[in-house]
Amino acid sequence: MIVWERLRVFAAVAEHGSISGAAAALHITGSAVTQHVRKLEREVRCPLVEPDGRGIRLTTAGRVLADTALHVAGTIAEAERDLANLHGQIVGPLRIGAIATALRAHIPQVLHTLTARHPRLTPTLRDGEVVDMIPALRSRHLDAVVTESWSTRPSRYPPGIHLTELIREDVHLAVPDGHPLASRSAPIPLADLGDLAWVSCPPGTDPHEALVHTLRGHNVDADVRYCVTDYTTHLLLVAAGLAVALVPRMARHPQPDGVRFLRTASSITRTIGVATVEGVHTPAVDAFVAVLRDQVAAWSPEL
């Protein structure tokens, strides 16, 4: 007989792809996760994971069981949310996905406020790109996703997804202090940005596609030489004189020495929002959106 607790732990391993990821999500130790997986393997009489370099990967049997485990975990989480919703209680699991810049700037304080107000709430968090997290939201493996959308290439969401817009922020051109553009006081025409090396997020992400689309609209082909997810690294590469970048206001902190931010002649903005499933309004999700909205509204970093 398969014990639910072990199946729940295995579902987390399958979802996060590692023992450490599952342990962080479940707030238990890595050794506890390993013990649950080993006991589950004995119960089903076959190996479910195997070594893969320094990590692990699912065996064929593991992939088969993972589908069931994730489905069962999702069903139980829905039941918990439905029961909480009946009584208007803010309790149980809350699974959040967020882009990295919003996560760093806002989510820690939001989760601190939420858990202080609602101690029986159990939030979990994963970062990633919108293109990867929206399918997880639609399949009910996430309850809310903090998203981004660029004015020059707006995001399009599939049917059944509701977006709550939180803030619209300026996007500036980041250049090294010694760059010829750095001395200009007037906004920079995008058509003047040819023959530059760029740093951006990886292809397929909203920032990368927005950069390419924006420059292409001004007859400039973006020479993206550095593909890095983290904006902090973007700014370090700019400070080192290796590249220029388009950087949203929220991603400008911490700002290294040696970087100048310039306005572009054609305005570029980025909108931060929260995506949820239409018609699914649980007290936990509503509380998260409300606290995040208040946090973002109060945010006013020095520029």
Side-chain angles (χ1 to χ4, degrees):
M1 180 180 296
I2 297 177
V3 176
W4 158 240
E5 180 62 17
R6 289 196 265 285
L7 193 64
R8 182 178 77 94
V9 172
F10 182 67
V13 172
E15 181 177 1
H16 296 279
S18 68
I19 297 294
S20 59
L26 297 173
H27 304 291
I28 60 178
T29 65
S31 60
V33 172
T34 300
Q35 289 176 18
H36 278 295
V37 172
R38 296 305 178 213
K39 289 178 180 178
L40 183 59
E41 288 178 325
R42 289 197 292 271
E43 289 172 353
V44 299
R45 296 189 176 91
C46 60
L48 301 174
V49 298
E50 60 187 6
D52 183 24
R54 294 185 177 180
I56 60 167
R57 63 185 174 194
L58 301 184
T59 63
T60 300
R63 291 194 297 272
V64 170
L65 185 60
D67 290 339
T68 299
L70 289 168
H71 176 73
V72 172
T75 301
I76 290 178
E78 285 186 27
E80 292 176 334
R81 287 192 297 271
D82 290 343
L83 288 171
N85 198 33
L86 283 175
H87 303 288
Q89 297 176 339
I90 301 176
V91 300
L94 174 64
R95 300 164 299 176
I96 302 164
I99 58 171
T101 48
L103 192 159
R104 183 175 64 247
H106 299 295
I107 299 301
Q109 184 58 46
V110 168
L111 294 184
H112 174 78
T113 301
L114 268 178
T115 54
R117 292 178 183 174
H118 312 290
R120 295 175 62 196
L121 187 66
T122 309
T124 57
L125 177 66
R126 59 177 274 195
D127 70 342
E129 300 297 334
V130 176
V131 66
D132 299 318
M133 292 188 291
I134 291 299
L137 178 65
R138 294 186 72 193
S139 64
R140 305 295 293 274
H141 289 115
L142 288 174
D143 300 309
V145 174
V146 183
T147 68
E148 65 182 338
S149 180
W150 293 60
S151 59
T152 51
R153 190 180 182 275
S155 298
R156 291 177 173 82
Y157 299 100
I161 298 299
H162 173 73
L163 184 70
T164 301
E165 292 190 358
L166 299 173
I167 190 173
R168 182 172 296 171
E169 57 178 356
D170 292 331
V171 175
H172 290 161
L173 175 67
V175 302
D177 266 343
H179 195 278
L181 293 174
S183 60
R184 290 201 196 180
S185 56
I188 308 298
L190 293 174
D192 292 354
L193 301 181
D195 301 322
L196 297 177
W198 291 84
V199 53
S200 184
C201 296
T205 63
D206 286 286
H208 186 281
E209 300 310 313
L211 170 66
V212 172
H213 184 82
T214 301
L215 294 182
R216 190 173 292 156
H218 293 266
N219 298 313
V220 174
D221 289 326
D223 179 11
V224 183
R225 299 184 189 177
Y226 308 97
C227 292
V228 183
T229 301
D230 179 54
Y231 276 105
T232 300
T233 306
H234 288 200
L235 294 177
L236 291 173
L237 289 167
V238 172
L242 298 172
V244 299
L246 289 180
V247 180
R249 180 185 178 193
M250 196 176 292
R252 287 172 56 169
H253 307 275
Q255 177 181 338
D257 293 334
V259 176
R260 285 284 308 277
F261 289 104
L262 309 174
R263 294 188 178 274
T264 56
S266 300
S267 175
I268 306 171
T269 61
R270 183 181 75 157
T271 299
I272 300 297
V274 182
T276 54
V277 178
E278 284 185 354
V280 179
H281 299 287
T282 68
V285 170
D286 290 344
F288 168 70
V289 174
V291 173
L292 179 58
R293 183 189 288 116
D294 291 344
Q295 168 71 19
V296 171
W299 178 69
S300 182
E302 295 181 2
L303 294 181

